[in-house]
Amino acid sequence: MAIRLGLGLPQNRQYHLGKDVPDVARAAEHIGYESLWVYERALFPEPATQGLYGIEGMPWPDSYRHVADPLVTLTLAAAATERARLGTSVLVAPLHAPFQLAKALASLDAASGGRVIAGFGTGWSLDEYAATGIRPIKERGRVLDEVIDVCRAVWGPDPVRHHGRITEIDSAAVGPKPARPIPILLAASTRKARERLVEHADGWLPTAMGVEQVAGEWHAVQDLAAERGRQQPIQTVLRVNARYSAKAHEGADRRPFHGSADQIVEDLAAYAEIGLEEILVDLQSSVRDAEELKDVATEVYEKARAAGL
């Protein structure tokens, strides 16, 4: 069976949010992409108080200066499509009030006919946490736990009850309900995060940071699931942040997913062998506009299918 392919929606500065998101979403569904994805970056600190991913000295990508709200972007895509699933990879869940986030996702799922995938992560930006005022970054794991619990409660039958550190619901009717149980997928690369995934989530959202690394982490997730006696299958969606070039990059120092459509597909093939279910390809940061994004997305999809992916 061919691996499922998803496409990242346009959220960055060079795109027109109201026009380009519906246009690209419709085109992607027509091309054959089975899912549409957004990511979250709340702000771009100037000067940067920490490096990218918290790594000292690593610069933030310039594309992070302008990232449209993920749920607004998905809502625009939902209204323009009929079949494609609508996912977040990832939503930094602790930046959001749990109840409001749960209700927004339920509303989007109801409106789209049951197509939402809630991909959550804890994030790493000190400035983003300072701006939200929900809880300090040191509590991000516990906040994510509560977000998951509140979502399960709000999406479940009435009356909804939840008693937590952030959210207190004595007994209430909360609607609309999702069209079906919304799957929760988590980014998880540490033992603690994998435990949360195995115990409380439906799937895993790795990022293409190296074939051997992703394969090793996937084996660790599977081993932990077996150790804990998990019976439900674990869904998997790999995020690929690609940088397209009309001219192939040559040389041994070529970075993965940097180059022509043929080179991007060649790199996709290596990850497809790991045994993951789906690959999300985000091309938006390396193209000029929505027209080029649609053209490159078409080329990548067609070459991937021709290669047997």
Side-chain angles (χ1 to χ4, degrees):
M1 178 182 292
I3 196 166
R4 293 199 299 263
L5 292 175
L7 182 70
L9 289 168
Q11 295 175 263
N12 295 345
R13 185 192 304 273
Q14 68 267 43
Y15 304 104
H16 184 284
L17 184 63
K19 180 180 72 174
D20 290 343
V21 171
D23 183 36
V24 171
R26 279 190 295 266
E29 189 173 70
H30 178 74
I31 292 164
Y33 286 97
E34 296 183 57
S35 55
L36 304 168
W37 297 83
V38 293
Y39 73 104
E40 181 163 40
R41 199 79 278 143
L43 50 74
F44 188 103
E46 292 186 310
T49 55
Q50 64 179 151
L52 184 69
Y53 310 129
I55 300 172
E56 185 176 357
M58 182 174 288
W60 290 43
D62 191 65
S63 58
Y64 283 2
R65 292 177 179 275
H66 180 113
V67 181
D69 180 87
L71 296 186
V72 170
T73 305
L74 275 191
T75 301
L76 291 166
T81 56
E82 297 178 352
R83 300 178 305 278
R85 288 169 294 116
L86 308 162
T88 60
S89 176
V90 294
L91 197 73
V92 185
L95 302 184
H96 300 263
F99 179 80
Q100 286 89 334
L101 178 59
K103 188 171 174 68
L105 288 168
S107 298
L108 180 57
D109 193 73
S112 65
R115 295 190 280 147
V116 171
I117 304 166
F120 294 155
T122 55
W124 47 267
S125 170
L126 298 172
D127 296 275
E128 290 182 337
Y129 271 85
T132 64
I134 301 297
R135 301 296 298 176
I137 193 170
K138 65 182 180 182
E139 298 180 23
R140 61 190 182 274
R142 284 181 289 179
V143 176
L144 177 55
D145 289 335
E146 183 157 348
V147 167
I148 294 171
D149 290 344
V150 171
C151 283
R152 300 291 194 206
V154 167
W155 300 342
D158 292 331
V160 174
R161 298 183 178 89
H162 178 82
H163 304 285
R165 299 176 67 249
I166 302 170
T167 305
E168 190 74 21
I169 309 171
D170 287 331
S171 179
V174 183
K177 299 297 183 184
R180 92 301 190 215
I182 298 174
I184 293 176
L185 279 61
L186 300 179
S189 58
T190 66
R191 172 75 183 195
K192 178 64 176 176
R194 287 193 288 269
E195 289 174 349
R196 179 182 294 112
L197 187 162
V198 168
E199 297 291 343
H200 301 294
D202 300 291
W204 181 43
L205 288 173
T207 300
M209 302 294 285
V211 176
E212 292 184 1
Q213 179 179 341
V214 173
E217 291 181 1
W218 177 224
H219 288 313
V221 169
Q222 293 174 302
D223 290 345
L224 183 59
E227 176 187 316
R228 297 294 174 89
R230 177 178 172 130
Q231 299 299 313
Q232 303 93 337
I234 296 174
Q235 301 175 38
T236 53
V237 181
L238 175 77
R239 165 174 274 277
V240 168
N241 297 314
R243 294 196 62 84
Y244 169 79
S245 171
K247 183 179 180 180
H249 289 187
E250 304 295 343
D253 60 344
R254 182 183 76 85
R255 295 174 60 188
F257 299 110
H258 283 54
S260 67
D262 284 314
Q263 290 175 319
I264 291 171
V265 170
E266 180 182 339
D267 293 333
L268 288 175
Y271 282 89
E273 294 180 1
I274 296 173
L276 306 177
E277 295 177 299
E278 186 164 0
I279 298 178
L280 141 67
V281 183
D282 196 323
L283 297 156
Q284 66 176 301
S285 66
S286 58
V287 296
R288 293 185 303 272
D289 52 29
E291 289 304 313
E292 187 178 16
L293 176 56
K294 290 186 293 182
D295 289 344
V296 175
T298 301
E299 186 179 8
V300 168
Y301 184 88
E302 291 177 348
K303 288 181 181 296
R305 292 311 187 210
L309 298 184

